Amino acid sequence: MLEFELDEEQKMLVDALGRFAESRMRKVYRDAEEEGAIPQDVVQAGWEFGLIPTALPEEYGGFGEYSAITNVLAIEELAYGDLAIALNILAPGLSAIPLMLAGTEEQQTAYLPKYCDQAPPSITAALAEPKVQFNPRKLSTTAILEGDSYILDGSKCLVPLADSSEVFLIYANDGDTTQAFIVHKETEGLEVGEREQLMGIRALPTFRLTLKGCRIPVKNRLGGEEGIDFDLILNHGRVALGAAAVGLAKAGYDYAREYAKTRVQFDEPIAHRQSIAFLLADMAIEVDAARLLVWETAWKLDQGEDATREATLMKSYVDDVVLQIADRAVQTLGGYGYVREYPVELWLRNARGFASFDGLAIA
């Protein structure tokens, strides 16, 4: 028998984050988009929900209650408020979760307590690369073992908060497998480029990185000699992005539905017309279907099962769904959908990026 009922703690978390999304994120998201800067008090308030400290082991200052299911519930609510702000709040998880899943005891002892402080640590991660047909399992960035060091060469893009980060978790091709390496900002050969000018999520600062002969100690390879199971980390990242896409899709559907109920033409709400009613019905179906695929993947991760197939299929489906729903929200508003006064044009621009967002969130 399938059971979809949330427990009491999950209900409280979803309710609290839903109120936060409406009362804080929705009030600043448009100004943040226009100015390219997110108010730090909003980011700090989001951090104080403790999503990452809750997931980390108790011996490192956390609460030892990691749950992919709970995380995707939280991410959906945050992305419902605004995608760029959500990705900023979740950015520390890009390094925290891989460290928790695959780090050596020495690495976990050195870094995990930093995620349990009152403010988020200045640590980010770099996976994506600026090339056509990017494949996270076949990176162009290389890590070559030379004696007691690795030499990293390559370039990265879509690295959030890189300008203010002290430590980077950088993914590279090491012997035809994707591995991760802890690199400090003072490492010679590491260069943070100019801020990227993106089509969407313009409130979130992302940057390109260049690595030219960056020499790092062997001990900085995540997981030590054993390394990481990259598919496991990628699956966690994709389920987080799937949840964010569901949140954005639901925002688009809810807004379009309410607009259709209040927009009157020819003496009746446009929601009364079959073409609009059927469009909204299809949107509602797609949101629920996408959410169930995300939940299934998260559940398998919580069971310790291989969720690669589920994560791959889910991501392909959800990437399409969020774009379709955002586009249909614009269609529902007609000419107003193209006007910046309304949020649906922003949601359409944000939705377009999900196909290339690998590495921007992890659950």
Side-chain angles (χ1 to χ4, degrees):
M1 178 178 177
L2 296 176
E3 175 62 65
F4 297 103
E5 184 71 21
L6 307 186
D7 63 34
E8 286 303 313
E9 290 187 2
Q10 289 171 331
K11 289 179 182 177
M12 291 173 60
L13 178 63
V14 167
D15 183 59
L17 287 172
R19 292 196 305 271
F20 173 73
E22 290 284 354
S23 65
R24 301 292 299 274
M25 298 172 73
R26 285 288 180 92
K27 287 186 176 180
V28 302
Y29 80 96
R30 178 56 85 175
D31 287 342
E33 164 79 7
E34 298 287 350
E35 298 168 7
I38 300 170
Q40 284 307 299
D41 64 311
V42 176
V43 176
Q44 179 62 31
W47 171 257
E48 289 173 0
F49 279 98
L51 300 178
I52 293 175
T54 297
L56 299 181
E58 293 181 2
E59 58 264 37
Y60 303 114
F63 297 95
E65 298 178 1
Y66 174 77
S67 165
I69 283 285
T70 299
N71 286 348
V72 299
L73 295 172
I75 293 168
E76 179 181 334
E77 293 299 321
L78 290 173
Y80 184 89
D82 179 68
L83 180 61
I85 299 174
L87 293 176
N88 193 324
I89 292 170
L90 298 168
L94 294 174
S95 49
I97 301 303
L99 279 162
M100 180 190 73
L101 292 173
T104 64
E105 184 177 348
E106 179 183 358
Q107 291 165 348
Q108 291 177 344
T109 300
Y111 294 102
L112 287 184
K114 299 178 184 295
Y115 298 91
C116 300
D117 290 339
Q118 293 183 346
S122 300
I123 306 177
T124 190
L127 172 62
E129 297 179 342
K131 66 176 186 178
V132 178
Q133 295 182 329
F134 164 68
N135 182 346
R137 295 184 178 90
K138 294 185 180 297
L139 298 177
S140 295
T141 302
T142 59
I144 306 299
L145 181 62
E146 289 188 4
D148 60 354
S149 301
Y150 278 97
I151 310 300
L152 271 60
D153 287 281
S155 58
K156 296 292 184 181
C157 64
L158 291 177
V159 184
L161 312 177
D163 61 330
S164 59
S165 294
E166 301 291 327
V167 181
F168 299 83
L169 185 65
I170 296 177
Y171 293 87
N173 189 334
D174 175 14
D176 292 327
T177 66
T178 298
Q179 296 294 322
F181 301 84
I182 300 168
V183 182
H184 291 255
K185 75 169 186 177
E186 64 271 13
T187 302
E188 186 175 351
L190 174 64
E191 180 181 344
V192 178
E194 295 294 321
R195 179 172 176 170
E196 295 170 314
Q197 299 301 314
L198 305 179
M199 176 181 177
I201 59 169
R202 295 177 60 83
L204 176 69
T206 67
F207 299 81
R208 289 198 177 189
L209 295 185
T210 302
L211 302 105
K212 296 180 179 178
C214 292
R215 183 179 293 271
I216 63 167
V218 168
K219 67 178 183 179
N220 283 23
R221 184 178 191 250
L222 188 64
E225 186 176 334
E226 183 177 343
I228 63 172
D229 176 356
F230 178 67
D231 276 351
L232 176 62
I233 291 174
L234 185 63
N235 293 342
H236 278 267
R238 288 182 166 176
V239 78
L241 289 171
V246 171
L248 193 156
K250 185 175 185 296
Y253 163 67
D254 284 353
Y255 194 92
R257 182 193 62 207
E258 294 306 310
Y259 179 87
K261 289 162 63 176
T262 58
R263 174 64 167 156
V264 175
Q265 286 186 335
F266 304 106
D267 299 323
E268 67 174 356
I270 62 173
H272 290 181
R273 299 178 186 174
Q274 277 193 346
S275 59
I276 298 296
F278 288 171
L279 188 71
L280 292 170
D282 286 343
M283 292 165 70
I285 292 168
E286 296 287 6
V287 170
D288 281 354
R291 180 183 291 113
L292 289 175
L293 285 175
V294 171
W295 284 7
E296 178 190 17
T297 307
W299 181 83
K300 292 204 75 169
L301 289 173
D302 278 343
Q303 303 309 305
E305 299 180 20
D306 180 9
T308 301
R309 176 182 179 276
E310 287 75 12
T312 303
L313 296 176
M314 175 272 296
K315 185 177 189 301
S316 177
Y317 181 75
V318 172
D319 287 352
D320 287 341
V321 163
V322 66
L323 184 56
Q324 290 173 7
I325 290 178
D327 184 61
R328 289 171 180 173
V330 172
Q331 292 179 49
T332 303
L333 270 67
Y336 289 126
Y338 206 64
V339 177
R340 295 175 74 86
E341 180 182 347
Y342 297 86
V344 289
E345 63 84 24
L346 167 59
W347 293 339
L348 178 59
R349 289 188 283 113
N350 286 349
R352 188 64 185 87
F354 273 98
S356 57
F357 279 170
D358 267 333
L360 269 183
I362 193 166

